Amino acid sequence: ANTEPYDPEPGRYKHLRIALCYRKTDTNPGKYLEAAMVRSGMKVDLHTEEIDWRKVPADTAAVVFVEGPYPALEVKGLNPGIPVVYWTHHGEHHIPTNLRLVERYGAHAVLLAHSWHLAHRFPVPVHRFTFGIAPELVNASVPWAERKYEASMVGGQLRRKGGTYARRQQLVDALETALGENNTAFVSDVTAQEMADIYAEAKVIINEGGTRHYPITMRVLEAIGSGAILVTDDLAGTDMVVDRDHYFVMEDDVAAQVKRLLADPERMTALTAEARQAALGLHTYDHNVDDLVEVIKGIEAPVGVEPVRVLSPIAKLVDEDVEVQRL
């Protein structure tokens, strides 16, 4: 494994023009991919509402769709033969929608951020395409031993009782009770920058992804990139992203586990530095751009051929509303 941070060559892809299609929000990982694409020298044409193939420049090397907030982008016209890639970052509970969007977008390849066991569901080639470290966002400048939060997590429904994130709420209650509310930061509804600021002051970051699809969340590399200890659900495939020695699987008594880790500052300081160094050498969004270019190179897009659509009468009725879930 590479142990040196990645220092990509400036302007290495200045010869490529890419159309990037997604609804921009503060939390959509598409914005980090976009920033890395711009850093690489790519000419990025951004589409946030629709894409009209009749208006796409002829020198466009590929069109990249990123799963994002609904409604999904509209597609007009006929693809003249430009490779199309679709990056999905939800799992089980979004698979019906994403299958329909593969058809709408005419994708020639799908990039999966996690839940790689779903690859066989897609009718086109699938590539592993994890979340990454956004170097413009994460901050590890505060020494581990001097951080003010002993445990932290930024995520939804931290205070709600029951539902999909009931386990998450139990973890928050247990850790706030064991460590004290002043020594923890469990918050929702903050900006990405506010999240990064909190994580920069956190010694331990808890990753609980909910029970709907057990994702390898963005939080995994946000935690390690921030120089914190990652304590996470035992999620299938995590050890394919992060070295198994660089994180801890959550135990039943997570409060006792966190206390035990906090009691060993010398070891934790060394481990966080080693984990971050390794992640920066393998998993930044600059790496993702390199991987994206390789995927694009391997696509031979048919010219002027619409996606094959074999729909039942009922499916046709709901197809325009691709957001209908689990139908």
Side-chain angles (χ1 to χ4, degrees), residues 37-48:
M37 292 166 73
V38 171
R39 286 196 297 271
S40 78
M42 287 180 178
K43 168 64 177 175
V44 179
D45 298 324
L46 186 62
H47 302 261
T48 60

Side-chain angles (χ1 to χ4, degrees), residues 29-299:
K31 74 175 189 177
Y32 306 124
L33 181 63
E34 179 186 356
M37 292 166 73
V38 171
R39 286 196 297 271
S40 78
M42 287 180 178
K43 168 64 177 175
V44 179
D45 298 324
L46 186 62
H47 302 261
T48 60
E49 299 289 336
E50 67 175 29
I51 183 169
D52 187 337
W53 283 109
R54 294 162 295 190
K55 300 177 181 179
V56 175
D59 63 343
T60 301
V63 174
V64 179
F65 289 91
V66 180
E67 183 184 357
Y70 301 124
L73 272 68
E74 293 297 322
V75 179
K76 297 179 179 179
L78 185 63
N79 183 351
I82 298 174
V84 177
V85 178
Y86 178 34
W87 183 28
T88 76
H89 48 84
H90 286 92
E92 300 276 1
H93 65 309
H94 277 229
I95 193 71
T97 294
N98 282 329
L99 287 171
R100 292 197 289 273
L101 287 176
V102 165
E103 291 192 18
R104 173 185 287 194
Y105 297 152
H108 302 106
V110 165
L111 312 176
L112 288 186
H114 55 81
S115 300
W116 301 304
H117 64 284
L118 298 175
H120 71 284
R121 298 288 304 276
F122 293 92
V124 295
V126 172
H127 303 266
R128 186 180 297 117
F129 199 82
T130 66
F131 299 119
I133 295 175
E136 70 274 22
L137 179 69
V138 297
N139 175 13
S141 61
V142 180
W144 189 85
E146 298 175 16
R147 297 185 174 197
K148 61 182 178 182
Y149 301 126
E150 294 182 334
S152 176
M153 178 177 172
V154 174
Q157 301 185 33
L158 293 172
R159 307 295 171 181
R160 175 183 170 185
K161 298 301 179 183
T164 303
Y165 293 111
R167 167 65 171 158
R168 179 177 295 184
Q169 297 143 22
Q170 295 167 0
L171 292 172
V172 170
D173 289 343
L175 288 165
E176 286 184 339
T177 299
L179 303 175
E181 292 187 18
N182 292 335
N183 299 320
T184 59
F186 294 102
V187 297
S188 303
D189 302 320
V190 297
T191 67
Q193 186 58 61
E194 289 168 336
M195 173 209 70
D197 292 343
I198 291 169
Y199 284 173
E201 288 283 0
K203 292 181 177 179
V204 175
I205 293 176
I206 304 297
N207 178 49
E208 196 279 338
T211 57
R212 293 182 73 183
H213 60 305
Y214 299 102
I216 300 175
T217 68
M218 294 170 64
R219 198 177 295 109
V220 168
L221 286 169
E222 288 169 347
I224 289 176
S226 299
I229 293 294
L230 172 66
V231 175
T232 180
D233 284 336
D234 190 7
L235 303 169
T238 303
D239 58 355
M240 299 174 71
V241 180
V242 181
D243 189 294
R244 184 60 189 85
D245 293 332
H246 291 163
Y247 66 94
F248 296 90
V249 171
M250 199 180 302
E251 299 174 0
D252 290 338
D253 189 345
V254 68
Q257 180 185 17
V258 169
K259 283 186 173 181
R260 190 168 67 249
L261 296 175
L262 294 171
D264 194 357
E266 184 174 347
R267 179 185 170 217
M268 294 303 104
T269 297
L271 190 149
T272 53
E274 181 180 318
R276 186 173 190 272
Q277 184 84 348
L280 287 173
L282 294 169
H283 292 299
T284 67
Y285 280 97
D286 298 293
H287 289 94
N288 285 30
V289 170
D290 293 343
D291 293 341
L292 176 63
V293 170
E294 290 304 309
V295 170
I296 292 169
K297 287 179 180 178
I299 294 174

